[in-house]
Amino acid sequence: ACFRLLCSLLIPALLLSGVLCVCVVVLLWGVRLWIQQRKKQLTSAGKDGKRPLLVAFFHPYCNAGGGGERVLWCAIRTLQKKYRNVTCVVYTGDRDATGEEIVEGAFRRFNIKLTHPVKFVFLEKRYLVEASLYPHFTLLGQSLGSVFLGWEALLKCVPDIYIDSMGYAFTLPLFKHLGGCRVGCYVHYPTISTDMLSVVRNQATRFNNAAFITNSPLFSKFKLAYYYFFAFMYGLVGSCSDVIMVNSSWTLNHILSLWRAGACTSIVYPPCDVQTFLDIPLEKEKSTREYSIVSVSQFRPEKDHPLQIRAFAKLLKEKRVGRQPPLKLILVGGCRNQQDEERVNNLKRLCEELGVSNDVTFRINIPFEELKRHLAEATIGLHTMWNEHFGIGVVECMAAGTVILAHSSGGPKLDIVVPYEGRATGFLAETEDNYAETMAYILSLSPEKRLEIRENARRSVHRFSDQHFEETFLLSVEPLFK
């Protein structure tokens, strides 16, 4: 009787599941055909009668002016130089500026001049990928939001080649399977990483793992299950890519373990504006009355400015016993909003508590020329972010001629502050004591020895130039154009 009951329930359930699966497949196939039809209607032939190849970049914040935007504009310029029959499209949510203003902004900020016009597709639903919209389950919320934003983009313009250049991997299957596009992506930072999983697993408190979660075994287990589910989904959508470009060895290791698509994955270092900093004359140190240590990074929690201040205070305490000249720590960075400003006020209070207020200077949202001057005068360039995925600021410090001291993790450890031609290019540290000791060691070196390290560091940064980016980018995207 039980067996008959089971069969009477199971067989209809299986039939219903089969019918639903067939309906979904037919529906998706119908949507794909409709989108292909729409593509023919939306695109017109060029002057020579041939339809241009549409290469679309999904970059909702293309007017932001950061390192990710520099990659976008360099990539577009590179394709325009190489391929004549290509029209580049940018999906953006920057509706407060015209296309001309965005291109002009790219030229003004990055000195990148495009040889042909770019088509902009302005998206109305960018708010769906704002982190502030999802106070809880932010990763999942933003990823689902990106699918809806991607759908809006696909309906407005169906490209031949689609490149996600901002890390919205959940849009990739949409363009590949419904849009019928060849798809690629440039990954600056994995949306979820194996490090994030280990932080939750070990119940470690960090800026993205609140204390109330780490203090509760139940909350920690629930968050870990959520992260594993998200990591599985992230791996699934990422593996849809025909071409995967990553910005560093650190990002490569994470993407390989999550996406498992090694055959089409390669490192393409981001184009850093090294030439601007290499133009700073590299002179022998003059006998100076003051040494300066400069840190360049936005005032965000993950940059760990408190570590810099505590290590500097420890250095000062130990240096005062020894000889002068005096030391100055200059924190150069951008404040994006009120939270960043509050963070700066907290850092100033920390300086007061440690008794170093007179020795630490804050320079916020300063002009580029002033930044160059601080770097030209600095002895040490300081960077303390744990697991920085690449580290453009580290490259800029090295190109400017400072002796770099960066965190012994992520991009700085694996790609940037590595020996060049068998000689040192800088130093790495992890803890407060490490940083204080290494700064003391750098300052104890002779000016000639420091100059040798600075010169070698400068020679090594050509690996991160615009020209090197163009060569590796073209090699990576070549399969998309076959």
Side-chain angles (χ1 to χ4, degrees):
C2 284
F3 180 72
R4 278 202 302 273
L5 178 65
L6 193 65
C7 285
S8 66
L9 291 172
L10 193 61
I11 292 167
L14 286 171
L15 283 170
L16 186 62
S17 301
V19 169
L20 283 172
C21 285
V22 169
C23 288
V24 168
V25 169
V26 169
L27 179 66
L28 291 176
W29 186 252
V31 170
R32 181 178 167 125
L33 289 176
W34 174 67
I35 287 172
Q36 295 306 309
Q37 198 60 42
R38 196 175 165 79
K39 180 180 181 176
K40 288 173 188 170
Q41 291 166 1
L42 290 173
T43 53
S44 52
K47 290 174 186 174
D48 58 357
K50 290 181 183 175
R51 195 179 68 79
L53 196 70
L54 286 183
V55 181
F57 290 84
F58 191 74
H59 209 104
Y61 297 87
C62 75
N63 207 25
E69 287 65 59
R70 194 166 207 284
V71 170
L72 170 71
W73 300 117
C74 276
I76 289 173
R77 181 180 64 183
T78 303
L79 291 181
Q80 288 184 344
K81 279 199 275 187
K82 167 82 175 177
Y83 299 101
R84 293 191 177 190
N85 66 324
V86 157
T87 296
C88 289
V89 178
V90 177
Y91 297 117
T92 179
D94 294 300
R95 293 185 297 145
D96 55 347
T98 64
E100 290 78 14
E101 286 168 346
I102 293 171
V103 170
E104 176 56 35
F107 177 64
R108 201 172 56 249
R109 287 189 198 105
F110 307 121
N111 196 28
I112 293 172
K113 189 80 176 166
L114 302 178
T115 50
H116 300 291
V118 171
K119 181 183 173 185
F120 289 91
V121 175
F122 291 94
L123 307 174
E124 292 166 29
K125 295 185 176 65
R126 190 176 71 180
Y127 65 89
L128 291 173
V129 295
E130 296 279 354
S132 56
L133 193 64
Y134 312 99
H136 306 291
F137 300 100
T138 312
L139 293 180
L140 191 60
Q142 284 183 293
S143 298
L144 292 173
S146 73
V147 175
F148 287 102
L149 190 64
W151 177 249
E152 182 193 344
L154 186 58
L155 290 185
K156 286 185 173 176
C157 175
V158 187
D160 299 291
I161 295 169
Y162 171 80
I163 298 173
D164 163 43
S165 50
M166 245 196 113
Y168 293 108
F170 281 74
T171 61
L172 294 166
L174 191 70
F175 279 83
K176 181 165 187 171
H177 299 303
L178 293 185
C181 313
R182 282 158 278 170
V183 300
C185 57
Y186 188 95
V187 184
H188 296 274
Y189 197 85
T191 306
I192 191 165
S193 65
T194 47
D195 289 332
M196 287 165 72
L197 291 166
S198 66
V199 163
V200 179
R201 197 185 304 113
N202 299 331
Q203 290 182 253
T205 304
R206 289 198 183 269
F207 72 94
N208 59 354
N209 196 38
F212 81 89
I213 290 174
T214 60
N215 295 334
S216 165
L218 181 66
F219 282 162
S220 288
K221 282 187 173 64
F222 180 76
K223 186 168 182 178
L224 190 62
Y226 159 56
Y227 267 19
Y228 271 116
F229 166 73
F230 187 84
F232 171 73
M233 294 302 294
Y234 184 59
L236 216 57
V237 297
S239 61
C240 290
S241 302
D242 299 305
V243 163
I244 302 162
M245 294 167 278
V246 297
N247 65 343
S248 68
S249 301
W250 182 85
T251 308
L252 176 74
N253 294 337
H254 286 284
I255 289 298
L256 288 179
S257 70
L258 290 163
W259 290 11
R260 304 185 188 280
C264 57
T265 308
S266 58
I267 297 176
V268 177
Y269 290 129
C272 306
D273 192 12
V274 292
Q275 197 52 52
T276 303
F277 293 95
L278 289 170
D279 289 340
I280 298 170
L282 192 63
E283 296 166 356
K284 275 194 175 180
E285 292 173 29
K286 301 178 181 75
S287 54
T288 180
R289 285 173 303 193
E290 183 179 84
Y291 283 126
S292 70
I293 298 165
V294 173
S295 155
V296 183
S297 57
Q298 282 187 322
F299 289 101
R300 302 206 309 256
E302 64 270 24
K303 297 297 181 183
D304 205 353
H305 289 91
L307 173 58
Q308 298 179 2
I309 293 165
R310 287 195 302 269
F312 179 70
K314 188 162 277 197
L315 172 70
L316 275 190
K317 195 177 173 186
E318 286 158 14
K319 284 290 286 179
R320 281 193 180 126
V321 183
R323 59 181 182 81
Q324 301 293 342
L327 291 169
K328 197 94 176 158
L329 173 63
I330 302 167
L331 301 178
V332 178
C335 274
R336 304 161 297 171
N337 48 41
Q338 199 177 335
Q339 287 101 315
D340 287 359
E341 285 166 21
E342 184 55 39
R343 209 166 280 121
V344 170
N345 291 332
N346 290 338
L347 292 170
K348 287 177 179 175
R349 280 194 284 273
L350 178 63
C351 291
E352 285 169 21
E353 286 167 26
L354 296 171
V356 294
S357 291
N358 295 333
D359 307 293
V360 180
T361 304
F362 289 83
R363 302 300 297 135
I364 297 159
N365 298 333
I366 60 171
F368 186 67
E369 287 306 311
E370 190 184 334
L371 164 66
K372 278 174 71 175
R373 182 170 58 77
H374 283 304
L375 285 174
E377 294 168 0
T379 305
I380 298 172
L382 194 59
H383 181 275
T384 48
M385 180 176 165
W386 172 73
N387 269 343
E388 170 78 86
H389 48 296
F390 178 70
I392 289 175
V394 175
V395 173
E396 289 174 347
C397 283
M398 289 165 71
T402 70
V403 178
I404 190 69
L405 172 56
H407 199 282
S408 184
S409 63
K413 180 184 181 180
L414 297 172
D415 294 297
I416 305 171
V417 191
V418 295
Y420 182 72
E421 293 179 350
R423 286 180 293 178
T425 56
F427 298 88
L428 298 165
E430 279 183 71
T431 63
E432 191 182 308
D433 289 339
N434 281 163
Y435 272 98
E437 287 161 14
T438 312
M439 284 190 279
Y441 173 73
I442 294 167
L443 295 168
S444 73
L445 294 171
S446 67
E448 291 76 26
K449 181 64 183 169
R450 279 198 294 268
L451 182 64
E452 192 183 300
I453 294 167
R454 291 158 68 206
E455 285 175 338
N456 202 44
R458 274 196 152 189
R459 283 193 291 271
S460 76
V461 297
H462 288 290
R463 297 171 294 146
F464 312 115
S465 65
D466 286 4
Q467 187 185 350
H468 191 264
F469 168 81
E470 288 184 7
E471 291 165 4
T472 52
F473 177 76
L474 285 174
L475 272 174
S476 298
V477 298
E478 202 177 343
L480 297 175
F481 290 84
K482 283 179 179 171

